[in-house]
Amino acid sequence: MTEWKKFGLSTAAAVAFTALFWGWWLTGQQRVGEDFAFKLPSDVPVAVVWTVVMVAAVALLGGTFEYTRRSAVRLVGVGGLLTVLLVTLLSVNLNSADASNGFDVLNRHGVYGVIGLGVAVLIVTGEIDLSIGSVAGLSAVLFGVLMMRGIPPLPAAGLVVLVGAVIGLVNGLVVTGLRVQSFLVTLCGMFVYRGIARSLTPIDPGISEVLRDQPQMKEPLFDLRLWACGKAADGGLEFPAMFVVMLAVAAVVAVLLHRTAYGRYWYAIGYNEKAAVYAGVGVRVQRVAVFVGCSALAAAAGALWFLNRPSVSPVNTGVPWELVAITAAVLGGVSLKGGEGTAVGVVLGALLQPLISNLITFLQDKYRWINDSAEPWVMGLILLFGTIADEVIRRSKAGR
């Protein structure tokens, strides 16, 4: 199949996907005589931008996807797991298919997808970052503190992402310059950044605290929340905009991985570092760059989380996002040994945690003995399953 034909089919699929998405959004669900109809977004130009970004992102994800037997097996695997969860969710409570519930799930999917895409590229190069949850938590708190001290929302968001990039730069330089294992460096960072977040403020900053201290920020803050999170001024979710943000990030990552020299460098480094060095690849520079991108995306996810929530906690925000992100990457087909992975797989893998969380919420209404404590061990078992499956697939390929 030629590249033009591939992109043409991907664009057609993207248009169909977006049309079905808006159709679901507009008509909602009719069940037990109740009409769950939704209004158009309050700001039509924003809706137009969301639509264009969705079509372009999905088209790029499909058009840049490089089909191999192994990537197909991995996508079928994660797709099958998600299908089982969806069927189980619907069987527990049909109201879980309502657009209002679905959009809340997709919005959380967006945040986990953004942070998962960053760590996935890092794992492709053969490294790992255990500090991304703490970086996201620090960024969420810092975002609120900066606005409470008078910095407008957009500059504050830019500063937060810049701080995340600097954290990634430090991690990358320590790992590549001092040759310390990334596991140890980022494990230490996980505690350091969490401690910094707790020292920034004794309260849980939120939008109400920002508006209390800086009432003039109401309009720009609500505008940013509408664009980035899809939430109206009253806090109601009009559209899962964070899902659209994640699709845009995924499209950029897919282009970088599959259509640029940088992507080929990253795969080569993760698959065989010595061969990459002999081929003239600047391994240290590339790894530092990926560390910077990973932490910057974690910081962006933290800022999105602040906009989406009433408040953020220096103690709890971002816990345990590193587990969620790594699970999304592994189940999405990224090998923990490096050298393999796709953006499409990570997007699908990132949907796992929101679905499990939503399923547990509905199960609590039906079975009193089920509580939130079930979520961590379910995620842990699924990560273990994904790791074992990855090793089995790798060995079967080596055996051939």
Side-chain angles (χ1 to χ4, degrees):
M1 182 183 296
T2 65
E3 287 296 317
W4 284 109
K5 186 176 181 180
K6 187 177 179 181
F7 271 102
L9 291 174
S10 298
T11 302
V15 171
F17 169 80
T18 306
L20 289 172
F21 197 90
W22 275 110
W24 178 42
W25 190 86
L26 288 168
T27 60
Q29 304 289 330
Q30 291 186 3
R31 200 174 286 116
V32 199
E34 293 181 277
D35 184 10
F36 294 89
F38 286 79
K39 299 178 181 179
L40 282 168
S42 60
D43 195 330
V44 175
V46 176
V48 172
V49 173
W50 285 335
T51 302
V52 172
V53 172
M54 283 184 68
V55 171
V58 174
L60 283 172
L61 280 171
T64 58
F65 180 73
E66 295 183 352
Y67 175 86
T68 63
R69 182 179 178 182
R70 187 168 179 176
S71 64
V73 168
R74 290 177 181 276
L75 288 185
V76 169
V78 68
L81 180 58
L82 291 175
T83 300
V84 170
L85 287 173
L86 283 170
V87 171
T88 305
L89 185 59
L90 290 173
S91 66
V92 170
N93 194 325
L94 285 176
N95 289 330
S96 61
D98 294 341
S100 57
N101 179 67
F103 290 164
D104 181 64
V105 170
L106 288 176
N107 238 16
R108 284 183 286 135
H109 175 209
V111 173
Y112 298 140
V114 168
I115 197 170
L117 286 161
V119 78
V121 177
L122 188 60
I123 295 174
V124 164
T125 66
E127 302 291 352
I128 200 165
D129 191 339
L130 298 180
S131 68
I132 50 177
S134 295
V135 171
L138 169 61
S139 301
V141 173
L142 179 62
F143 188 37
V145 170
L146 289 175
M147 288 189 290
M148 289 168 63
R149 295 182 180 178
I151 299 178
L154 275 177
L159 285 173
V160 165
V161 174
L162 180 61
V163 169
V166 171
I167 289 174
L169 178 64
V170 172
N171 288 341
L173 290 175
V174 172
V175 170
T176 60
L178 300 180
R179 297 187 181 276
V180 182
Q181 290 184 353
S182 58
F183 178 90
L184 294 175
V185 173
T186 58
L187 179 63
C188 296
M190 179 174 67
F191 294 105
V192 171
Y193 307 138
R194 181 65 59 187
I196 294 174
R198 297 177 68 171
S199 66
L200 284 176
T201 176
I203 65 171
D204 293 351
I207 290 179
S208 59
E209 285 74 21
V210 172
L211 296 181
R212 180 197 62 200
D213 293 349
Q214 306 292 338
Q216 76 280 3
M217 287 190 186
K218 182 176 182 179
E219 184 174 350
L221 182 55
F222 283 172
D223 285 346
L224 180 60
R225 185 166 68 165
L226 176 62
W227 278 93
C229 299
K231 285 196 170 183
D234 61 359
L237 181 60
E238 294 198 355
F239 188 80
M242 291 196 293
F243 173 70
V244 181
V245 172
M246 183 266 295
L247 287 178
V249 173
V252 173
V253 170
V255 171
L256 288 172
L257 282 175
H258 305 300
R259 290 296 183 272
T260 69
Y262 299 110
R264 291 191 290 272
Y265 295 159
W266 300 338
Y267 282 120
I269 292 168
Y271 190 78
N272 192 323
E273 182 179 346
K274 288 185 177 180
V277 171
Y278 291 145
V281 176
V283 173
R284 292 187 180 182
V285 173
Q286 294 299 325
R287 276 194 168 140
V288 169
V290 174
F291 267 107
V292 170
C294 177
S295 294
L297 286 177
L304 286 173
W305 194 253
F306 176 91
L307 293 170
N308 189 55
R309 306 294 297 177
S311 64
V312 293
S313 169
V315 177
N316 298 327
T317 300
V319 178
W321 287 10
E322 56 279 344
L323 169 64
V324 174
I326 294 171
T327 302
V330 171
L331 292 181
V334 179
S335 173
L336 285 172
K337 294 185 177 180
E340 295 182 48
T342 64
V344 175
V346 178
V347 169
L348 293 177
L351 184 56
L352 181 72
Q353 196 279 340
L355 277 180
I356 291 176
S357 179
N358 200 237
L359 176 60
I360 290 175
T361 298
F362 280 105
L363 284 173
Q364 285 177 334
D365 297 333
K366 198 170 184 178
Y367 305 103
R368 298 298 180 185
W369 54 272
I370 295 178
N371 53 50
D372 292 337
S373 64
E375 186 175 326
W377 63 260
V378 171
M379 288 293 294
L381 287 177
I382 291 176
L383 178 58
L384 177 62
F385 168 79
T387 305
I388 294 173
D390 172 70
E391 188 62 27
V392 170
I393 293 174
R394 177 181 285 271
R395 290 181 180 179
S396 66
K397 181 180 179 181
R400 291 197 299 272

